[in-house]
């Protein structure tokens, strides 16, 4: 190693120590601050995955906008999906502060390199599914995101604060749909039960693999990108949701769900991780459909973007002349 | 003025807003880019909100215990009274933009005039709507310029849309006996008078967008009598699906 290289790696080491000290002291890391390359990469992966989830999630919910059963429900669902699009936009901006463009992020999505939440690869088959998605999926997202409000990267933490407020609104609206159904006719109640049964397990999978199968978690916890482990967050979600199922008067979707006095938590049955990994690999019920939909919309919009560029160029040309 | 006539008038205006709001909502997750998805959903929300105000007022005047949802979800095609231009399928982004521009321009003038209605409820809905319409028109006007004066392809798409839509615009300015009677009573808007202001406004924008004002005849229309295009039935099949499959329930 040459003299300068040694010095460089020394500086690198001391920078890294400084960085970790700041993280340990709960200081926020800002885009212009020095950060380890792996920290930057991890954040880009996580924030873009989050942004893609917001955007792809518009599809299963948008699936019911034109069929919402009342004008009030239609307006509320439209507003919710609009919020999700806004979250996507906000998160893409947060990712862009790390030196990557939205085009690159979308390209990675379309090539299947970037992921989005596995839950959106399940179909919304009935109106009750829209209730279940708001209640369970937004509910799970909140548990995750409340923890992320304290994440070490400033722009991401601030995005989470803003987004969480809207997510809890969504969660309440989803629950309200489920409440109306579970107090309605037998057919409505059955519809609610069916939606709960289908969305329960995929919602638990949203928190990711068990801690002992989550290879990147330890480093993310050390960097305080992640503040709680997958299993901790999953347990929190279960503990808060089971009493809500009881209020709805629906049957528990897992016969092994039982309060454990000793642990102070609900016990639950085994999660089908084979299913989870199949969905992650692209073999869920809707993976291809979701991706193709997003690619088609972008392709169909290309001429619009070209027109905008051409118009702006002409306008600039006219001004200069 | 006779309540039934005002109820019918409110239903017409409610149906216009509901049907176009539905078409706009079909753009969700299908827009050319995320910002545009957000803006289109926003416009759809304005239209659905307006539909709710008009239809709940119509139901209230009717006094038969029906709600906005009964009107939206249990009437068949022949009972829908929207103008045909609102129900045409969403088409491509050029079609949606051009329709929006033509309708927004007419809506601004219409709702400005309706603010003066002797019916306080209609005037109140108009006052809220006119602000939204001005914003919608600014947006659709800007898009018309960008797409008309953009690329070869975007101009061709816009001109095709304009030609396809033009024949439906006449109906925006047609009066029938009911609206004439309501106009005489100071309740309704004189649509015929709007056209004189709409045409120059629209022609100027079409010209600025380097498009050709179509020299095409008016199409028959018929929306106010419930004579629709074939498209409305499919729209209602989707809109009303849940209420039709599970009638008479609360959601
Ligand atoms: Fe969201
Ligand atoms: Fe949400």
């Amino acid at each position: 190693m040459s003299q300068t290289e040694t010095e460089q790696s020394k500086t690198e080491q001391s920078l890294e120590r400084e960085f970790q000290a700041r993280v340990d002291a709960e200081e926020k890391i800002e885009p212009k601050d020095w950060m380890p390359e792996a920290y930057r990469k991890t954040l880009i992966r996580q924030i873009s995955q989050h942004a893609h989830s917001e955007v792809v999630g518009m599809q299963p919910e948008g699936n019911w906008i034109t069929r919402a059963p009342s004008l009030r429900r239609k307006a509320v669902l439209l507003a919710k999906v609009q919020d999700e699009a806004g979250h996507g936009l906000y998160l893409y901006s947060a990712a862009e502060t790390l030196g990557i463009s939205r085009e690159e992020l979308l390209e990675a999505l379309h090539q299947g390199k970037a992921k989005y939440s596995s839950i959106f690869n399940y179909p919304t088959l009935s109106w009750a599914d829209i209730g279940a998605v708001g209640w369970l999926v937004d509910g799970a997202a909140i548990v995750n995101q409340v923890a992320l409000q304290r994440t070490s990267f400033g722009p991401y933490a601030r995005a989470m604060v803003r987004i969480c407020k809207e997510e809890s609104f969504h969660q309440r609206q989803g629950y309200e749909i489920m409440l109306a159904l579970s107090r309605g006719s037998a057919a409505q109640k059955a519809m609610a039960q069916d939606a709960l049964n289908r969305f329960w397990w995929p919602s638990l999978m949203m928190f990711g693999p068990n801690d002992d199968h989550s290879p990147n978690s330890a480093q993310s916890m050390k960097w305080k990108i992640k503040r709680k482990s997958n299993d901790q967050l999953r347990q929190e979600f279960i503990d808060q949701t089971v009493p809500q199922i009881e209020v709805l008067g629906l049957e528990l979707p897992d016969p092994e769900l039982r309060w454990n006095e000793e642990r102070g938590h609900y016990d639950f049955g085994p999660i089908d991780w084979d299913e989870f990994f199949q969905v992650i690999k692209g073999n869920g019920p809707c993976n291809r459909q979701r991706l193709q939909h997003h690619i088609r919309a972008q392709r169909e919009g290309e001429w619009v973007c070209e027109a905008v560029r051409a118009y702006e160029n002409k306008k600039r040309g006219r001004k200069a002349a | 003025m006779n309540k039934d006539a005002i109820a019918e008038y409110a239903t017409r205006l409610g149906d216009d807003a509901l049907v176009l709001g539905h078409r706009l909502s079909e753009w969700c997750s299908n827009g050319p880019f995320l910002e545009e998805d957000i803006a289109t959903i926003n416009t759809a929300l304005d239209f659905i909100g307006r539909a709710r105000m008009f239809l709940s007022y119509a139901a209230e005047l009717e006094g038969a215990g029906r709600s906005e949802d009964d009107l939206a979800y249990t009437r068949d095609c022949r009972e829908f009274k929207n103008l045909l231009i609102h129900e045409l399928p969403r088409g491509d982004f050029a079609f949606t933009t051009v329709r929006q521009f033509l309708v927004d321009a007419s809506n601004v003038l219409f709702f400005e005039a309706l603010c003066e209605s002797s019916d306080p409820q209609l005037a109140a809905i108009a006052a809220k709507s006119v602000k939204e319409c001005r914003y919608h028109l600014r947006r659709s006007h800007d898009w018309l310029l960008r797409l008309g004066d953009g690329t070869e392809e975007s101009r061709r798409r816009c001109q095709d849309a304009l030609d396809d839509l033009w024949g439906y615009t006449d109906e925006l300015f047609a009066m029938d006996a009911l609206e004439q009677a309501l106009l005489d009573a100071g309740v309704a808007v004189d649509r015929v008078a709007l056209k004189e202001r709409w045409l120059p406004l629209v022609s100027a924008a079409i010209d600025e967008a380097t498009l050709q004002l179509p020299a095409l005849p008016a199409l028959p229309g018929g929306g106010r009598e419930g004579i629709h295009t074939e498209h409305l039935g499919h729209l209602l099949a989707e809109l009303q699906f849940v209420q039709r499959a599970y009638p008479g329930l609360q959601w």
Side-chain angles (χ1 to χ4, degrees):
Chain A
M1 226 186 240
S2 76
Q3 182 88 33
T4 38
E5 272 173 2
T6 324
E7 263 166 30
Q8 240 169 27
S9 78
K10 248 192 207 155
T11 344
E12 188 97 349
Q13 272 171 16
S14 67
L15 281 169
E16 199 145 353
R17 262 199 308 277
E18 248 171 71
F19 173 84
Q20 189 62 48
R22 289 187 61 197
V23 168
D24 291 343
E26 298 289 334
E27 269 181 57
K28 291 280 174 258
I29 307 301
E30 295 300 329
K32 291 210 169 73
D33 297 344
W34 185 90
M35 61 185 82
E37 209 35 49
Y39 177 85
R40 183 188 302 275
K41 283 220 175 90
T42 304
L43 273 172
I44 289 176
R45 182 168 49 80
Q46 188 171 330
I47 299 174
S48 71
Q49 184 169 327
H50 194 162
H52 297 326
S53 302
E54 301 281 1
V55 171
V56 175
M58 293 169 71
Q59 291 180 40
E61 295 197 274
N63 183 36
W64 279 88
I65 285 176
T66 53
R67 292 179 292 167
S70 75
L71 295 181
R72 184 174 79 86
R73 295 287 185 208
K74 187 194 283 291
V76 168
L77 182 56
L78 267 168
K80 179 194 196 274
V81 176
Q82 186 186 32
D83 284 347
E84 306 299 7
H87 297 169
L89 211 52
Y90 202 48
L91 286 161
Y92 283 129
S93 306
E96 281 179 319
T97 66
L98 291 159
I100 189 158
S101 70
R102 198 157 117 197
E103 289 69 36
E104 291 173 283
L105 295 172
L106 290 176
E107 184 63 30
L109 173 69
H110 291 171
Q111 288 178 355
K113 287 180 191 157
K115 303 277 181 232
Y116 54 86
S117 180
S118 56
I119 192 83
F120 298 121
N121 291 312
Y122 291 85
T124 51
L125 302 176
S126 75
W127 171 248
D129 287 9
I130 295 305
V133 167
W135 169 40
L136 299 175
V137 176
D138 286 67
I142 293 166
V143 170
N144 220 341
Q145 291 169 14
V146 164
L148 286 172
Q149 289 179 347
R150 289 165 50 242
T151 194
S152 57
F153 186 56
Y156 195 27
R158 288 190 289 275
M160 285 304 107
V161 172
R162 197 166 130 178
I163 287 173
C164 268
K165 283 188 198 136
E166 292 180 348
E167 300 295 11
S168 50
F169 201 56
H170 300 164
Q171 199 254 357
R172 275 205 302 280
Q173 287 162 347
Y175 189 72
E176 203 205 289
I177 291 176
M178 296 300 277
L179 202 58
L181 294 175
S182 59
R183 291 182 180 169
S185 73
Q188 284 174 310
K189 195 165 178 182
M191 195 187 276
Q193 183 70 57
D194 176 53
L196 169 59
N197 294 348
R198 278 183 291 110
F199 276 93
W200 175 255
W201 294 106
S203 299
L204 299 190
M205 295 176 197
M206 281 175 70
F207 297 97
N210 285 136
D211 292 347
D212 39 3
H213 292 102
S214 185
N216 305 321
S217 279
Q219 182 60 63
S220 281
M221 295 280 270
K222 185 168 172 245
W223 278 332
K224 300 194 175 175
I225 292 176
K226 258 177 111 87
R227 302 301 310 237
K228 288 181 182 173
S229 79
N230 294 355
D231 287 332
Q232 267 178 311
L233 293 166
R234 187 167 14 246
Q235 185 71 59
E236 265 182 43
F237 172 72
I238 291 170
D239 290 350
Q240 79 175 35
T241 308
V242 173
Q244 295 169 352
I245 300 175
E246 283 161 356
V247 175
L248 290 175
L250 296 176
E251 276 169 39
L252 295 177
D254 167 7
E256 294 182 44
L257 272 174
R258 203 165 296 118
W259 180 252
N260 182 326
E261 196 65 56
E262 219 168 291
R263 290 204 309 129
H265 292 294
Y266 282 92
D267 289 337
F268 53 97
I271 293 172
D272 182 354
W273 291 113
D274 285 343
E275 175 180 322
F276 173 74
F277 287 111
Q278 278 303 319
V279 176
I280 291 290
K281 268 191 277 180
N283 304 320
C286 301
N287 294 59
R288 282 166 184 272
Q289 177 191 339
R290 299 287 185 245
L291 217 50
Q292 284 165 12
H293 180 120
H294 197 273
I295 292 169
R296 174 189 52 73
Q298 185 168 316
R299 202 177 45 226
E300 284 175 3
E302 260 161 30
W303 69 268
V304 178
C305 300
E306 280 163 24
V308 170
R309 280 193 294 272
Y311 178 74
E312 295 300 329
N313 283 339
K314 284 186 203 176
K315 230 171 70 174
R316 260 196 300 276
R318 273 178 221 139
K319 255 187 203 153
Chain B
M1 191 63 209
N2 160 353
K3 269 183 165 186
D4 291 349
I6 303 179
E8 171 71 14
Y9 192 54
T11 304
R12 292 176 173 193
L13 300 177
D15 288 349
D16 285 342
L18 174 60
V19 166
L20 186 52
H22 183 99
R23 286 301 185 211
L24 286 168
S25 77
E26 292 173 349
W27 275 100
C28 177
S29 83
N30 290 302
F33 43 87
L34 201 47
E35 286 84 346
E36 202 44 42
D37 259 5
I38 294 176
T40 310
I41 296 173
N42 213 37
T43 311
L45 268 169
D46 288 342
F47 276 86
I48 298 298
R50 191 181 309 158
R52 296 183 64 191
M53 289 189 283
F54 278 126
L55 292 180
S56 54
Y57 185 43
E60 181 194 322
L61 286 171
E62 187 191 53
R66 293 208 287 179
S67 66
E68 58 181 38
D69 288 332
D70 293 322
L71 291 183
Y73 291 92
T74 63
R75 283 177 302 146
D76 201 350
C77 270
R78 292 285 277 110
E79 298 161 281
F80 263 76
K81 299 298 169 61
N82 61 283
L83 300 172
L84 304 185
I85 193 168
H86 301 113
E87 73 198 39
L88 302 173
R90 71 178 163 96
D92 63 3
F93 191 70
F95 188 88
T96 283
T97 298
V98 174
R99 166 167 52 194
Q100 220 48 44
F101 170 69
L102 297 171
V103 169
D104 292 341
S106 145
N107 275 344
V108 167
L109 301 173
F110 179 87
F111 284 111
E112 276 174 359
L114 191 65
C115 286
E116 309 302 321
S117 173
S118 61
D119 184 286
Q121 186 63 28
L122 291 179
I125 300 172
K128 182 174 187 298
S129 301
V130 80
K131 284 181 212 136
E132 296 164 355
C133 294
R134 286 195 188 113
Y135 176 72
H136 298 163
L137 178 60
R138 254 205 314 278
R139 256 179 51 76
S140 57
H141 177 263
D142 288 353
W143 267 117
L144 185 79
L145 294 190
R146 282 189 212 115
L147 297 184
D149 195 13
T151 61
E152 201 65 39
E153 178 180 7
S154 69
R155 177 185 296 134
R156 175 182 57 73
R157 285 177 183 261
C158 276
Q159 189 65 54
D160 287 350
L162 192 55
D163 294 347
D164 288 344
L165 281 155
W166 195 252
Y168 294 97
T169 57
D170 235 60
E171 210 188 7
L172 293 167
F173 309 103
M175 295 290 281
D176 64 358
L178 180 120
E179 295 201 11
Q180 189 58 52
L182 286 170
L183 172 62
D184 294 342
V187 173
V189 170
D190 182 4
R191 290 180 175 273
V192 175
L194 298 184
K195 183 150 192 183
E196 290 163 31
R197 294 164 57 211
W198 177 82
L199 193 57
L201 194 156
V202 164
S203 309
I206 288 174
D207 193 51
E208 197 187 346
T210 70
L211 298 165
Q212 297 294 321
L213 194 73
L216 292 162
L219 291 168
R224 296 302 193 216
E225 289 89 53
I227 308 289
H228 290 277
T229 66
E230 290 178 347
H231 307 296
L232 184 68
H234 296 277
L235 184 153
L236 294 184
E238 197 169 339
L239 174 79
Q240 299 177 339
F241 160 68
V242 176
Q243 293 264 8
R244 296 288 191 186
Y246 305 90
L249 301 177
Q250 294 301 311
W251 299 88

